[in-house]
């Protein structure tokens, strides 16, 4: 199945921020409840050790995804403090504040919009993109990679979405039901979330569309390799592939880059 770059509602500037938060909050709940990115921890730890880096600049953070969970797992493995900064084109300040509180101020955020294709040089650290790289068409995706290379910043891209016929069928059949079942467990509790899910079911429809599009436009490892071959990246190392969790059914597609030390 070829990559199809349709639009996601949460990417659109006209899409109401309240509805965008409903989608990203649901994704955040799923990622943490099912420990989706646990297989990526050894790879993240490895690149941070190779680059002597203890800071993460998370790009396209949404509602923060599983960043808090990832930070805690990294700290338990590395036995050192790791700082994380959340950023997004549409910063979810309410959610970012909550994550900062839950992390006892070990996770911070940038309140201004941050363009992943041109990260300000003062934000140093491992650039991470969890479930967000597929939002970018090839030309923008190459700009993200080139910006990391030009600024000699390590970068780690991880996606649990996967472009397969079975995933498309599962989304069409089960995504609305998943929203109905999981919504009551999302915290913090919001009456608006119940209204847009059970009274006027815009949230299930929006989630179903965005989830379907996410799978359809996720890059394969071969496509990630092709992207890296089309940018100027001398003195820079690339790794790509898939990670499999023994605890879940998710395959994690990854691309890691870091400057030659």
């Amino acid at each position: 199945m070829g990559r199809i770059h349709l639009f996601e509602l949460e990417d659109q500037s006209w899409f109401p921020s309240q509805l965008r938060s409903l989608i990203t909050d649901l994704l955040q709940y799923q990622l943490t409840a099912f420990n989706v990115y646990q297989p990526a921890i050894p790879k993240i730890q490895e690149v941070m050790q190779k680059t002597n880096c203890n800071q993460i600049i998370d790009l396209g953070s949404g509602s923060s995804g599983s960043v808090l969970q990832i930070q805690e797992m990294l700290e338990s493995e590395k036995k050192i403090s790791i700082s994380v900064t959340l950023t997004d084109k549409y910063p979810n300040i309410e959610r970012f504040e909550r994550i900062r509180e839950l992390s006892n101020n070990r996770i911070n955020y940038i309140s201004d919009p941050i363009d992943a294709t041109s990260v300000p040089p003062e934000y140093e650290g491992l650039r991470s993109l969890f479930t967000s790289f597929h939002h970018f068409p090839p030309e923008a995706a190459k700009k993200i990679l080139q910006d990391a290379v030009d600024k000699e910043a390590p970068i780690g891209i991880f996606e649990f979405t996967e472009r397969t016929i079975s995933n498309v069928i599962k989304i069409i059949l089960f995504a609305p039901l998943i929203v109905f079942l999981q919504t009551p467990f999302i915290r913090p509790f919001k009456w608006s979330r119940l209204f847009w899910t059970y009274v006027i079911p815009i949230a299930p429809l929006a989630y179903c569309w965005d989830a379907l599009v996410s799978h359809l436009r996720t890059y394969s490892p071969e496509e990630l390799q092709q992207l890296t071959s089309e940018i100027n990246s001398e003195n820079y190392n690339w790794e790509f592939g898939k990670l499999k969790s023994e605890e879940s059914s998710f395959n994690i597609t990854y691309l890691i880059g870091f400057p030659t030390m």
Side-chain angles (χ1 to χ4, degrees):
M1 179 187 296
R3 184 176 183 275
I4 305 173
H5 196 87
L6 301 173
F7 72 92
E8 287 190 48
L9 293 170
E10 64 173 291
D11 290 342
Q12 310 308 309
S13 59
W14 52 262
F15 195 59
S17 59
Q18 185 180 78
L19 295 178
R20 182 183 295 111
S21 295
L22 296 186
I23 296 175
T24 56
D25 285 355
L26 180 61
L27 177 61
Q28 192 265 349
Y29 167 80
Q30 294 169 341
L31 292 175
T32 54
F34 299 104
N35 202 10
V36 169
Y37 283 116
Q38 187 276 332
I41 297 302
K43 285 293 180 183
I44 300 171
Q45 180 182 3
E46 180 182 338
V47 71
M48 295 186 79
Q49 289 175 337
K50 286 181 177 179
T51 57
N52 193 29
C53 175
N54 293 321
Q55 301 179 66
I56 294 177
I57 305 297
D58 192 56
L59 306 175
S61 298
S63 287
S64 80
S66 52
V67 168
L68 176 58
Q69 189 178 58
I70 289 168
Q71 184 201 41
E72 292 173 344
M73 288 189 288
L74 281 171
E75 288 190 335
S76 67
E77 292 288 335
K78 294 190 68 175
K79 309 300 182 183
I80 59 174
S81 177
I82 296 173
S83 67
V84 180
T85 302
L86 305 174
T87 75
D88 201 274
K89 183 178 180 180
Y90 304 108
N92 187 338
I93 303 301
E94 179 184 2
R95 175 62 71 167
F96 287 1
E97 277 287 349
R98 175 173 169 79
I99 295 301
R100 182 162 68 176
E101 292 174 4
L102 291 174
S103 70
N104 294 319
N105 295 319
R106 292 178 300 155
I107 294 178
N108 211 328
Y109 65 88
I110 305 300
S111 58
D112 295 325
I114 295 296
D115 182 356
T117 66
S118 183
V119 179
E122 60 266 27
Y123 301 131
E124 298 181 349
L126 169 66
R127 300 180 181 186
S128 64
L129 292 95
F130 294 97
T131 329
S132 59
F133 195 66
H134 65 263
H135 289 257
F136 301 91
E139 288 307 312
K142 286 187 286 187
K143 288 181 180 179
I144 292 174
L145 301 178
Q146 189 67 65
D147 189 63
V149 171
D150 292 343
K151 293 169 183 171
E152 299 183 337
I155 187 169
I157 294 165
F158 303 92
E159 301 268 7
F160 80 91
T161 49
E162 194 174 14
R163 203 173 65 235
T164 64
I165 294 295
S166 62
N167 280 341
V168 170
I169 294 174
K170 289 175 184 177
I171 290 297
I172 294 174
L173 294 179
F174 301 117
L177 178 62
I178 289 172
V179 178
F180 288 130
L181 293 176
Q182 295 181 345
T183 291
F185 300 99
I186 300 173
R187 296 295 179 270
F189 174 85
K190 292 182 179 179
W191 286 108
S192 60
R193 185 179 291 118
L194 301 185
F195 178 82
W196 293 116
T197 299
Y198 302 109
V199 180
I200 301 180
I202 291 180
L205 295 175
Y207 172 83
C208 183
W209 173 259
D210 276 12
L212 177 62
V213 172
S214 293
H215 285 286
L216 290 176
R217 62 184 189 176
T218 296
Y219 293 96
S220 67
E222 295 75 20
E223 289 165 338
L224 292 174
Q225 181 185 27
Q226 181 63 32
L227 289 176
T228 64
S229 70
E230 295 175 2
I231 66 173
N232 181 13
S233 58
E234 294 182 8
N235 302 318
Y236 205 84
N237 300 290
W238 298 107
E239 297 178 13
F240 54 88
K242 284 187 179 290
L243 303 167
K244 177 65 177 177
S245 171
E246 297 180 356
E247 301 177 2
S248 71
S249 60
F250 296 107
N251 292 315
I252 308 299
T253 302
Y254 75 92
L255 171 65
I256 288 175
F258 54 93
T260 302
M261 303 300 289

